[in-house]
Amino acid sequence: MSFNTFGKLFRFTTWGESHGPAIGCIVDGCPPGIYLSEKEIQVDLDRRKPGKSKFTSQRKEADKVEILSGVFHGKTTGTPISMIIYNKDAKSRDYETIKNKFRPGHADYTYFLKYGIRDYRGGGRQSARETASRVAAGAIAKTVLKKLIGKKFKVIGGVIQLGLLGCNKNNWNDKEIQKNPFFCPDKKAIKLWEKYLLAVRKAGSSCGAVIELRASGIPAGLGSPIYSKLDSDLAGALMSINAVKGVNIGAGMNAAFLGGEENSDEIRNVKGKTKFKSNNAGGILGGISSGQQIVASFAVKPTSSILNMRETINKKGKNTKISVRGRHDPCVGIRAVPIGEAMMSCVLLDHYLLNRGQCG
Amino acid sequence: MSFNTFGKLFRFTTWGESHGPAIGCIVDGCPPGIYLSEKEIQVDLDRRKPGKSKFTSQRKEADKVEILSGVFHGKTTGTPISMIIYNKDAKSRDYETIKNKFRPGHADYTYFLKYGIRDYRGGGRQSARETASRVAAGAIAKTVLKKLIGKKFKVIGGVIQLGLLGCNKNNWNDKEIQKNPFFCPDKKAIKLWEKYLLAVRKAGSSCGAVIELRASGIPAGLGSPIYSKLDSDLAGALMSINAVKGVNIGAGMNAAFLGGEENSDEIRNVKGKTKFKSNNAGGILGGISSGQQIVASFAVKPTSSILNMRETINKKGKNTKISVRGRHDPCVGIRAVPIGEAMMSCVLLDHYLLNRGQCG
Amino acid sequence: MSFNTFGKLFRFTTWGESHGPAIGCIVDGCPPGIYLSEKEIQVDLDRRKPGKSKFTSQRKEADKVEILSGVFHGKTTGTPISMIIYNKDAKSRDYETIKNKFRPGHADYTYFLKYGIRDYRGGGRQSARETASRVAAGAIAKTVLKKLIGKKFKVIGGVIQLGLLGCNKNNWNDKEIQKNPFFCPDKKAIKLWEKYLLAVRKAGSSCGAVIELRASGIPAGLGSPIYSKLDSDLAGALMSINAVKGVNIGAGMNAAFLGGEENSDEIRNVKGKTKFKSNNAGGILGGISSGQQIVASFAVKPTSSILNMRETINKKGKNTKISVRGRHDPCVGIRAVPIGEAMMSCVLLDHYLLNRGQCG
Amino acid sequence: MSFNTFGKLFRFTTWGESHGPAIGCIVDGCPPGIYLSEKEIQVDLDRRKPGKSKFTSQRKEADKVEILSGVFHGKTTGTPISMIIYNKDAKSRDYETIKNKFRPGHADYTYFLKYGIRDYRGGGRQSARETASRVAAGAIAKTVLKKLIGKKFKVIGGVIQLGLLGCNKNNWNDKEIQKNPFFCPDKKAIKLWEKYLLAVRKAGSSCGAVIELRASGIPAGLGSPIYSKLDSDLAGALMSINAVKGVNIGAGMNAAFLGGEENSDEIRNVKGKTKFKSNNAGGILGGISSGQQIVASFAVKPTSSILNMRETINKKGKNTKISVRGRHDPCVGIRAVPIGEAMMSCVLLDHYLLNRGQCG
């Protein structure tokens, strides 16, 4: 059973609402004896946090994480790691005027039907603020994988499509991703993207994005057929991120357009090592990692909180209109990059541990 | 934990290899007191089985299902329903010549690395033959949902893209889907598709497909945030089907290209009933069903078993070539339609039961 | 998968070490719309907390619980309820002298072998301090069950055996349990128990206990054969409590001594209601509740931390001796009463929700 | 979620009714590359099967097991192992006269309340016939553990109490257990037990039993605190066996009577090896194996199907009487020995794999 818990052997459970006193995360199943401090976790939280550029929400949250358990003398103990992040800049007042209306594209309506409750304060539990907890868990997963696999291990994500604008994936540069406010891997795309996104925001609108994730150094053999396939678990994990509507592994939806010869990746022995001539499979065959780079991508829908007036109903079922003011990302897809990396890292570590357990 | 078990409250476990004596499925968590016989299950199995047209594999399998437990006096008892399907037309001989080679695009290589075993007989457990068990479980899920929800409940899938050829979704006709060998909902597309697929096969190649699934009559409130969201579980379920590489919910990957106003579905009260003006969300908001039609689609890669010669390695790691003869579907995506319906039905029933348990 | 999470639909996850900054608990799967505040939870925490009488540990912990999420406007929202309890009176210094020795009867040795770590500070994660989190979760379970079942619902436990001294179960009085420091249901036993336990402590020793739990108002039909039987889940839950070595349902171990006629409870229709003539089954038949009172008991071993000198080894494997000073309960079984009630309540609620989900 | 599935990494799912066409079991999570045939499984099934002596039911079942999947070229493949056992000697006619009555002590009444169904044919799913599937799964677990741990691994159980008669545990002899019809480890007790059980049966009655299980060669470190403790999982597993009402680990319920010095097992370094001076813990401390012998015991209630007339009600709620004829064990506890061994073996293997996965 999952609900607010993710994972099988490496599991995390998140809690907290957008405007509650705090949010947090328990990581369970972390191997013992691994050096861990708030510092490594903070690096990824800082990448996700709002207010860093004019292209993200202006809510000011330091997102400072505190570890409350599971670490002794600087090392993990194998017991649950509890982390807490206090909410500092919640402005529930901003939401007072729309507290009885359902924002289109948000989960206000469905939460109200399911639970009979409308926690209007920044969306309550449905808020993407919950993803800070995921990033914290993912940072631990990365730390563990680095220890278990070594230096060759790396998970990195980049925005490859910003609304209507793509970029040239041939220019993919890991370092570039850390330099621009879009997590875009193609330096040449930045200028145009800046102008475009400012225009979108100025128009009171928003846009979507596509993020690509790449994991290197992943050993072959991870993934458990038939219903815990690596790609199946990745798809579920990425689709669980707020606003995600589509997930691809390798060639993804485009695989439908390929012929059998183009699609299946030929295999070669090159100087004693197995090499594939292409990677349409995204590094996964039959749900099991092949030793190639793991490649997945996902689409994030445009931010639903926009200034432009929209039609909706209120809690009493009456027709009304809504314009959502406050502090919102014009493209929530951007900050989805570290979240995607976190989810992929957690899935990979989970399957690493599973594989070690069963077929070591 | 899943592996060979799928689901939370409504669970099925499958077993069996392509060329073993039989395959089968245990359905656990089926509510008691529901009329069930082999007949309803056979209907869906017949839709999936091979050898029905020149566009699918010529392996002749009656796929006759037998219920061994869980039904008494024609009704489910609430105890596990065990179903068995004997393999009748396995020709392992066809695979003798390639028994030491890894077929590109298949899981031969990854299974060998993970398990140290090469069950060459039709792919063993990795074979899509396993999906007959899913269809059997899905038929039970459909039967239960029909009982619980009533006549308005319906799950139906159709092929909307065959390789390079699309169809016109405005012509979608549920009845048409049952009439043509492609499960295509658009009558006007059939002729061209026939010619195209014959040409693909004649060329010794294969092609991919996109399948769309639509579920009607689904009540609002199904789906459990944050890590058992309805869309997340659907994505995981569909990605677990053999050869699937991409999954969309509603607008899916295309959501990235929409603006905030286009994407979020406006809500109206029409004569006392909640209506949405569009369905880009695919009937799911924040992971919870909204009462709209649930819409998902997925891409199936082209069949990897093709006549055209390809490069690969053998079990000893030596470079070699391979041409896969035998009986194969030129487009495995076609028979994925009843499988997709089955997986969607199982996910929906699972969340129906979960919802009843928690928030009834 | 469980580990630090307990339950299926109603789940709680605990974290924290005896001498860390805090301990806590996330309750997931709590139905929405139920009135809940720290007050109801504190009542049970106060019953478990140390330092209340001369018969328990003198560690002074207020065990004040704070709710950090999941409650809005005084009611549960259906989202995770995070609770935190700060550790105030940890004296790790007390443990300095034995930090390299393994205390016999404790888990020092096995934790060290499993995790490679010796968190000597009050036992770290293995400390019974963790059970405060269970009691907090159990208090929520009780609150929910009271709402769902009504006033007839009640779970209560009492100590029926204190070391070598029993009590007369015919004198069982629920109210008496709340009045004496032993949670003993038999007023007549108290005086002797007091003398006995003071003598045990004075002798630098400790003693065990047997606790009996009774749940009334539980509807028939709870429990899921074959591997989620109500008694099986209760046994696992109670055995997971620190220092528990034996669990009985109904007649328990004594059932072995009964003949078939004595043991099986005859059934009667009395004025239209089903009545059993006895309750050797403890209210559970075939793993399913029968509508009778649910009765379980469990044995707690004597406190392993005693003054009397004992033989052991240290971290280097050298032979040595140990006398455990500090603040310890002469009988840990006493404070196990509210813990047992908590675990039973959680199991009952879990099965209540499961039953509602599956068989309406 | 469990229900009809048991285990975490090593899992089995059972199906089938006492008088259905067959019963069976799927074992999932079995490591690959292990020699396995029906032969090893049959050995344990033969130990459990009825009709072997005058002290068990006279139902004649060969209990011949067939493996349908998961084994290729004599070795496990890592895919699900499906096993089937056909029912040959079901006599549903014997149950016709009591088909509308609820047998006291059986689950007839609770199944009827829960599922609305009375599968009177030998008890349907609630029958202990289901335990044949457990024994089959346990035989696989033993085979795997023997391969992973080596020759020093052994799990053996014996009846140490038959109704009112105990035996001398100082005379425990593993070989003796295989020689007498009671699985009694003490040769000297047999004669008296024979007379006693014949007298019990002649009186139209039945008796209970206590079984002790011992596992040797188990490495330290198995078991996952806090909610997957080895003892907690063992208790749940043993309590799930039909008719079991009490479970002890090590000293068990008797631990309540011991003082702190008597109970906690002192530790010594003897020639470089850790030795405990006693084993009241039953080889488990803090839920983790210590390297000592794992010792558990459980009580089985007397057979509820007896000739002696008893009071009960029928399906309409009317008072009536019942005498259960047919073929029944005078003491179902005897055949519980191989079942207990099976459950213990499955729990141990499960934790062995878990431990390998997490902390290898």
Side-chain angles (χ1 to χ4, degrees):
Chain A
M1 198 62 50
S2 21
F3 298 89
N4 294 282
T5 298
F6 183 84
K8 298 179 183 86
L9 286 186
F10 181 82
R11 293 168 305 285
F12 65 86
T13 302
T14 73
W15 57 270
E17 287 91 44
S18 185
H19 291 196
I23 60 169
C25 180
I26 318 299
V27 169
D28 192 10
C30 181
I34 291 173
Y35 285 104
L36 182 76
S37 72
E38 279 99 349
K39 219 170 115 184
E40 294 96 64
I41 303 167
Q42 199 61 49
V43 171
D44 271 352
L45 282 170
D46 287 347
R47 291 172 67 218
R48 192 214 72 103
K49 77 179 177 191
K52 287 200 310 175
S53 82
K54 55 190 166 186
F55 301 109
T56 57
S57 162
Q58 295 307 301
R59 178 169 171 177
K60 297 287 183 200
E61 289 289 353
D63 278 355
K64 270 282 172 267
V65 68
E66 277 176 58
I67 295 176
L68 295 172
S69 67
V71 176
F72 183 51
H73 288 164
K75 282 182 179 175
T76 58
T77 58
T79 65
I81 302 167
S82 176
M83 295 179 284
I84 193 166
I85 297 168
Y86 287 96
N87 291 326
K88 302 283 193 184
D89 189 31
K91 297 191 179 166
S92 301
R93 206 183 40 194
D94 289 358
Y95 293 83
E96 283 289 333
T97 57
I98 57 164
K99 67 188 277 188
N100 292 317
K101 296 177 180 179
F102 300 122
R103 296 168 298 167
H106 278 289
D108 300 351
Y109 176 68
T110 52
Y111 267 69
F112 184 70
L113 286 186
K114 185 176 185 75
Y115 298 116
I117 282 158
R118 169 93 176 87
D119 184 352
Y120 60 87
R121 308 163 303 160
R125 180 70 182 154
Q126 48 158 302
S127 166
R129 181 139 187 76
E130 185 268 347
T131 58
S133 295
R134 304 181 186 222
V135 169
I140 294 179
K142 282 182 189 174
T143 302
V144 176
L145 282 166
K146 264 177 216 157
K147 176 76 188 300
L148 296 176
I149 292 179
K151 280 188 180 171
K152 65 186 168 177
F153 166 74
K154 187 173 193 179
V155 167
I156 190 149
V159 176
I160 57 170
Q161 180 86 30
L162 185 80
L164 298 168
L165 302 182
C167 73
N168 186 344
K169 276 170 57 178
N170 293 323
N171 296 336
W172 184 291
N173 181 335
D174 283 0
K175 286 180 188 159
E176 176 57 33
I177 292 173
Q178 315 303 343
K179 291 181 186 161
N180 68 71
F182 305 107
F183 296 108
C184 176
D186 174 14
K187 193 176 178 176
K188 290 191 177 157
I190 313 299
K191 270 206 178 148
L192 192 56
W193 284 23
E194 284 183 352
K195 283 184 193 164
Y196 172 74
L197 195 53
L198 287 175
V200 164
R201 198 174 61 181
K202 205 167 177 184
S205 184
S206 62
C207 72
V210 177
I211 290 90
E212 183 168 307
L213 300 169
R214 299 176 172 190
S216 313
I218 307 304
L222 307 196
S224 295
I226 300 291
Y227 298 109
S228 283
K229 285 177 171 171
L230 185 55
D231 41 4
S232 170
D233 282 2
L234 275 173
L238 297 175
M239 194 64 94
S240 80
I241 299 173
N242 309 48
V244 172
K245 300 304 284 184
V247 177
N248 291 324
I249 304 295
M253 295 304 294
N254 291 331
F257 301 98
L258 301 176
E261 305 94 301
E262 300 160 278
N263 178 69
S264 69
D265 309 304
E266 292 184 298
I267 318 175
R268 293 281 81 190
N269 179 320
V270 180
K271 295 180 186 167
K273 290 198 173 166
T274 300
K275 298 282 179 193
F276 291 82
K277 290 170 76 175
S278 51
N279 191 7
N280 287 309
I284 304 174
L285 287 166
I288 302 170
S289 64
S290 66
Q292 283 194 283
Q293 194 175 54
I294 308 286
V295 182
S297 60
F298 59 99
V300 180
K301 70 183 186 186
T303 312
S304 295
S305 294
I306 54 174
L307 278 172
N308 290 338
M309 193 65 74
R310 318 235 47 221
E311 294 191 319
T312 191
I313 60 173
N314 63 21
K315 276 168 71 176
K316 292 185 177 162
K318 291 272 164 69
N319 284 323
T320 181
K321 292 193 175 182
I322 192 167
S323 159
V324 184
R325 292 167 192 284
R327 303 162 299 177
H328 303 288
D329 296 85
C331 174
V332 283
I334 295 171
R335 286 166 58 210
V337 169
I339 308 165
E341 291 175 8
M343 295 307 288
M344 184 180 249
S345 301
C346 289
V347 170
L348 289 170
L349 175 54
D350 209 13
H351 278 286
Y352 189 95
L353 297 175
L354 280 169
N355 193 50
R356 188 160 68 163
Q358 294 207 283
C359 328
Chain B
M1 199 60 52
S2 20
F3 298 89
N4 293 283
T5 298
F6 183 84
K8 297 179 183 87
L9 286 186
F10 180 83
R11 293 168 305 285
F12 65 86
T13 302
T14 72
W15 57 270
E17 287 91 44
S18 184
H19 291 195
I23 60 170
C25 181
I26 318 300
V27 169
D28 192 10
C30 181
I34 290 174
Y35 285 102
L36 181 76
S37 72
E38 278 100 348
K39 219 171 115 185
E40 295 97 63
I41 302 167
Q42 199 63 48
V43 171
D44 271 353
L45 282 170
D46 286 348
R47 290 173 67 219
R48 192 213 73 101
K49 76 179 177 192
K52 287 200 310 176
S53 83
K54 55 189 167 186
F55 301 109
T56 57
S57 161
Q58 295 307 301
R59 179 169 169 176
K60 297 288 183 200
E61 289 288 354
D63 278 355
K64 270 281 172 268
V65 68
E66 276 176 59
I67 295 176
L68 295 172
S69 67
V71 176
F72 183 51
H73 289 164
K75 282 181 178 174
T76 59
T77 59
T79 65
I81 302 167
S82 176
M83 295 179 283
I84 193 167
I85 298 168
Y86 288 95
N87 291 325
K88 302 282 193 185
D89 190 30
K91 297 192 178 166
S92 300
R93 207 183 38 194
D94 288 359
Y95 293 83
E96 284 288 333
T97 57
I98 57 164
K99 67 188 278 188
N100 292 317
K101 296 177 180 179
F102 301 124
R103 296 167 299 167
H106 279 288
D108 301 349
Y109 176 68
T110 52
Y111 267 69
F112 185 69
L113 286 186
K114 186 177 183 74
Y115 298 116
I117 282 158
R118 169 94 177 87
D119 183 353
Y120 60 87
R121 308 162 303 160
R125 180 68 180 155
Q126 48 158 301
S127 166
R129 181 138 187 76
E130 185 269 347
T131 59
S133 295
R134 303 181 185 222
V135 169
I140 294 179
K142 283 182 187 173
T143 302
V144 175
L145 281 165
K146 264 178 215 155
K147 176 77 187 299
L148 295 176
I149 292 178
K151 279 187 181 171
K152 64 186 167 178
F153 165 74
K154 187 173 192 179
V155 167
I156 190 150
V159 176
I160 58 171
Q161 180 87 29
L162 185 80
L164 297 167
L165 301 182
C167 74
N168 187 344
K169 276 171 55 178
N170 293 323
N171 295 336
W172 183 292
N173 182 336
D174 283 359
K175 285 180 188 158
E176 176 56 34
I177 291 173
Q178 316 302 343
K179 290 181 187 162
N180 66 71
F182 306 107
F183 296 109
C184 176
D186 174 14
K187 193 176 178 175
K188 289 190 180 161
I190 312 299
K191 270 208 178 146
L192 192 56
W193 284 22
E194 284 184 351
K195 283 183 193 165
Y196 173 74
L197 195 53
L198 287 176
V200 164
R201 198 174 60 181
K202 206 168 176 184
S205 184
S206 62
C207 71
V210 177
I211 289 91
E212 182 168 308
L213 300 168
R214 299 176 171 190
S216 314
I218 306 305
L222 308 196
S224 295
I226 302 290
Y227 300 109
S228 283
K229 285 177 171 171
L230 185 54
D231 40 5
S232 170
D233 281 4
L234 275 173
L238 297 175
M239 194 65 93
S240 80
I241 299 172
N242 310 48
V244 172
K245 301 304 284 184
V247 177
N248 291 323
I249 304 293
M253 295 305 295
N254 290 330
F257 302 97
L258 302 177
E261 306 93 298
E262 300 158 278
N263 177 70
S264 69
D265 308 304
E266 292 184 299
I267 318 175
R268 293 282 80 188
N269 180 318
V270 181
K271 295 180 185 166
K273 290 198 173 165
T274 300
K275 298 283 179 194
F276 291 82
K277 290 169 76 175
S278 51
N279 192 8
N280 287 309
I284 304 175
L285 287 165
I288 303 170
S289 65
S290 65
Q292 283 195 283
Q293 193 176 55
I294 309 288
V295 182
S297 61
F298 59 100
V300 180
K301 70 182 186 187
T303 312
S304 296
S305 294
I306 53 176
L307 278 172
N308 290 338
M309 193 65 73
R310 318 234 50 220
E311 294 190 318
T312 191
I313 59 172
N314 63 21
K315 278 168 70 175
K316 292 185 178 162
K318 291 272 164 69
N319 285 323
T320 179
K321 293 194 175 183
I322 191 167
S323 160
V324 184
R325 290 166 193 284
R327 303 162 300 176
H328 303 289
D329 295 86
C331 174
V332 282
I334 296 172
R335 286 165 59 208
V337 169
I339 307 165
E341 291 176 7
M343 294 309 288
M344 183 180 249
S345 301
C346 289
V347 170
L348 289 170
L349 175 54
D350 208 13
H351 278 286
Y352 188 96
L353 297 174
L354 280 169
N355 192 51
R356 189 161 67 164
Q358 294 208 283
C359 328
Chain C
M1 201 59 53
S2 20
F3 298 89
N4 294 282
T5 298
F6 183 84
K8 298 180 182 85
L9 286 185
F10 180 84
R11 291 169 306 285
F12 65 87
T13 303
T14 72
W15 57 269
E17 286 91 44
S18 184
H19 291 196
I23 59 169
C25 180
I26 318 299
V27 169
D28 193 9
C30 180
I34 290 174
Y35 285 103
L36 182 75
S37 71
E38 278 99 349
K39 221 170 114 184
E40 294 96 64
I41 303 167
Q42 199 62 49
V43 171
D44 271 352
L45 282 170
D46 287 347
R47 291 172 67 219
R48 192 213 73 101
K49 77 179 176 191
K52 287 199 310 175
S53 82
K54 55 189 166 184
F55 302 108
T56 58
S57 161
Q58 295 307 302
R59 179 169 169 177
K60 296 288 182 198
E61 290 288 353
D63 279 354
K64 269 282 172 268
V65 68
E66 277 175 58
I67 295 177
L68 295 172
S69 67
V71 176
F72 184 50
H73 288 164
K75 282 182 180 174
T76 59
T77 59
T79 65
I81 302 167
S82 176
M83 296 178 283
I84 193 166
I85 297 168
Y86 288 96
N87 291 326
K88 302 283 192 185
D89 189 30
K91 297 192 179 166
S92 300
R93 208 183 36 194
D94 289 357
Y95 293 83
E96 284 289 332
T97 57
I98 57 164
K99 67 189 276 188
N100 291 317
K101 296 178 181 180
F102 300 123
R103 295 169 298 167
H106 278 289
D108 300 350
Y109 177 68
T110 52
Y111 267 68
F112 184 69
L113 285 186
K114 185 177 183 75
Y115 297 117
I117 282 159
R118 169 91 177 89
D119 184 351
Y120 61 86
R121 309 163 303 160
R125 180 71 180 154
Q126 47 158 303
S127 165
R129 181 138 187 76
E130 186 269 347
T131 58
S133 296
R134 304 180 185 222
V135 169
I140 295 179
K142 283 181 187 173
T143 303
V144 175
L145 282 165
K146 264 176 214 157
K147 177 76 186 299
L148 295 176
I149 292 178
K151 281 188 181 171
K152 64 185 165 178
F153 165 74
K154 186 172 193 179
V155 167
I156 190 149
V159 175
I160 57 171
Q161 179 87 28
L162 185 80
L164 298 168
L165 303 182
C167 73
N168 187 345
K169 277 170 56 178
N170 293 323
N171 296 336
W172 184 290
N173 182 335
D174 284 359
K175 286 180 188 157
E176 175 56 34
I177 291 172
Q178 316 302 343
K179 291 180 188 162
N180 66 72
F182 306 106
F183 296 108
C184 175
D186 173 15
K187 194 176 179 176
K188 291 191 178 158
I190 312 300
K191 272 207 178 146
L192 192 57
W193 285 22
E194 285 184 351
K195 283 184 194 165
Y196 173 74
L197 195 53
L198 287 175
V200 164
R201 198 175 60 182
K202 207 167 176 183
S205 184
S206 62
C207 71
V210 177
I211 289 92
E212 182 167 307
L213 300 168
R214 299 176 172 191
S216 313
I218 306 305
L222 308 196
S224 295
I226 301 292
Y227 299 109
S228 283
K229 286 178 171 170
L230 185 54
D231 41 5
S232 169
D233 282 3
L234 275 173
L238 298 175
M239 194 63 93
S240 80
I241 299 172
N242 309 47
V244 173
K245 300 305 284 184
V247 178
N248 291 323
I249 303 295
M253 295 304 295
N254 290 330
F257 301 97
L258 302 176
E261 306 94 298
E262 300 159 277
N263 177 70
S264 70
D265 307 305
E266 292 183 297
I267 319 175
R268 294 282 80 191
N269 180 319
V270 181
K271 296 180 185 167
K273 290 197 174 168
T274 299
K275 299 282 179 195
F276 290 82
K277 290 169 77 174
S278 51
N279 192 10
N280 288 308
I284 304 174
L285 287 166
I288 303 170
S289 65
S290 66
Q292 282 194 284
Q293 193 176 54
I294 309 287
V295 181
S297 60
F298 59 100
V300 180
K301 70 182 186 186
T303 312
S304 296
S305 294
I306 52 175
L307 278 172
N308 290 338
M309 193 65 73
R310 317 236 48 222
E311 293 192 318
T312 190
I313 58 172
N314 64 20
K315 277 168 71 177
K316 291 185 179 163
K318 291 272 164 68
N319 284 325
T320 179
K321 293 195 174 182
I322 191 167
S323 158
V324 184
R325 292 168 190 282
R327 304 162 299 176
H328 303 288
D329 296 84
C331 173
V332 284
I334 295 172
R335 286 165 59 209
V337 170
I339 307 165
E341 292 175 8
M343 296 307 289
M344 183 180 250
S345 301
C346 289
V347 170
L348 289 170
L349 175 55
D350 208 14
H351 278 285
Y352 188 95
L353 297 174
L354 280 169
N355 193 49
R356 189 160 70 163
Q358 294 208 282
C359 326
Chain D
M1 200 59 54
S2 21
F3 297 90
N4 294 282
T5 298
F6 182 85
K8 298 181 182 86
L9 286 185
F10 180 84
R11 293 169 304 285
F12 64 87
T13 303
T14 71
W15 57 269
E17 286 91 44
S18 184
H19 292 195
I23 60 170
C25 181
I26 319 299
V27 168
D28 194 8
C30 180
I34 290 173
Y35 285 102
L36 183 76
S37 72
E38 278 99 349
K39 220 170 114 184
E40 293 97 64
I41 303 167
Q42 199 62 50
V43 171
D44 271 352
L45 282 170
D46 286 348
R47 291 172 68 218
R48 192 213 73 102
K49 77 179 178 191
K52 287 200 307 177
S53 81
K54 55 190 166 185
F55 301 109
T56 58
S57 161
Q58 295 307 303
R59 180 169 170 176
K60 297 287 182 200
E61 289 288 353
D63 278 355
K64 268 280 171 272
V65 67
E66 277 175 58
I67 295 176
L68 294 172
S69 67
V71 176
F72 184 50
H73 288 164
K75 282 182 180 176
T76 59
T77 60
T79 65
I81 302 168
S82 175
M83 296 179 282
I84 193 166
I85 297 168
Y86 287 96
N87 291 325
K88 301 285 192 184
D89 189 31
K91 296 192 179 167
S92 300
R93 208 183 37 194
D94 288 358
Y95 293 84
E96 283 290 332
T97 57
I98 57 165
K99 68 189 275 189
N100 292 317
K101 296 178 180 178
F102 302 123
R103 295 168 298 167
H106 279 288
D108 300 350
Y109 177 68
T110 52
Y111 267 69
F112 184 70
L113 285 186
K114 185 175 185 76
Y115 297 116
I117 282 158
R118 170 91 176 88
D119 184 352
Y120 60 86
R121 307 163 304 161
R125 179 70 179 155
Q126 47 158 302
S127 165
R129 179 137 187 77
E130 186 268 347
T131 57
S133 295
R134 303 181 186 222
V135 170
I140 294 180
K142 283 181 188 173
T143 303
V144 175
L145 281 166
K146 265 177 216 158
K147 176 76 186 298
L148 295 176
I149 292 179
K151 280 188 180 172
K152 64 186 167 178
F153 166 74
K154 186 173 193 179
V155 168
I156 190 149
V159 176
I160 56 172
Q161 179 87 28
L162 185 80
L164 298 169
L165 303 182
C167 73
N168 186 345
K169 275 170 59 177
N170 292 323
N171 296 336
W172 183 292
N173 181 336
D174 283 0
K175 286 180 189 159
E176 175 57 33
I177 292 172
Q178 315 303 342
K179 290 181 187 162
N180 66 71
F182 306 106
F183 296 108
C184 176
D186 174 16
K187 194 175 178 176
K188 291 192 178 156
I190 313 300
K191 270 206 177 148
L192 191 57
W193 286 22
E194 284 184 351
K195 283 183 193 163
Y196 173 74
L197 196 53
L198 287 175
V200 164
R201 198 173 63 181
K202 205 166 177 185
S205 185
S206 62
C207 71
V210 177
I211 290 91
E212 182 168 307
L213 300 168
R214 299 177 172 190
S216 314
I218 306 305
L222 307 197
S224 295
I226 301 291
Y227 299 110
S228 283
K229 285 176 173 171
L230 185 54
D231 40 5
S232 170
D233 282 3
L234 275 173
L238 297 176
M239 195 64 94
S240 80
I241 299 173
N242 309 46
V244 172
K245 300 305 284 183
V247 177
N248 290 324
I249 304 294
M253 296 305 294
N254 291 331
F257 302 97
L258 301 177
E261 305 94 295
E262 300 159 278
N263 177 69
S264 69
D265 307 305
E266 292 183 297
I267 318 177
R268 294 281 81 191
N269 180 319
V270 181
K271 296 181 187 166
K273 291 198 173 168
T274 300
K275 299 282 178 194
F276 291 82
K277 289 170 77 176
S278 51
N279 192 9
N280 287 309
I284 304 174
L285 287 166
I288 303 171
S289 65
S290 66
Q292 283 195 283
Q293 193 176 54
I294 309 287
V295 182
S297 60
F298 59 101
V300 180
K301 70 182 187 186
T303 313
S304 295
S305 293
I306 53 175
L307 278 172
N308 290 338
M309 193 66 73
R310 317 236 48 222
E311 293 191 319
T312 190
I313 59 172
N314 64 20
K315 277 168 70 177
K316 292 185 179 162
K318 291 271 164 68
N319 285 323
T320 180
K321 293 193 175 183
I322 191 166
S323 159
V324 184
R325 291 166 193 284
R327 304 163 297 177
H328 302 289
D329 295 85
C331 173
V332 283
I334 296 172
R335 285 167 59 210
V337 170
I339 307 165
E341 291 175 9
M343 295 308 288
M344 183 180 250
S345 301
C346 289
V347 170
L348 289 170
L349 175 55
D350 209 12
H351 278 285
Y352 189 96
L353 297 174
L354 280 168
N355 193 50
R356 189 159 69 164
Q358 294 207 284
C359 326

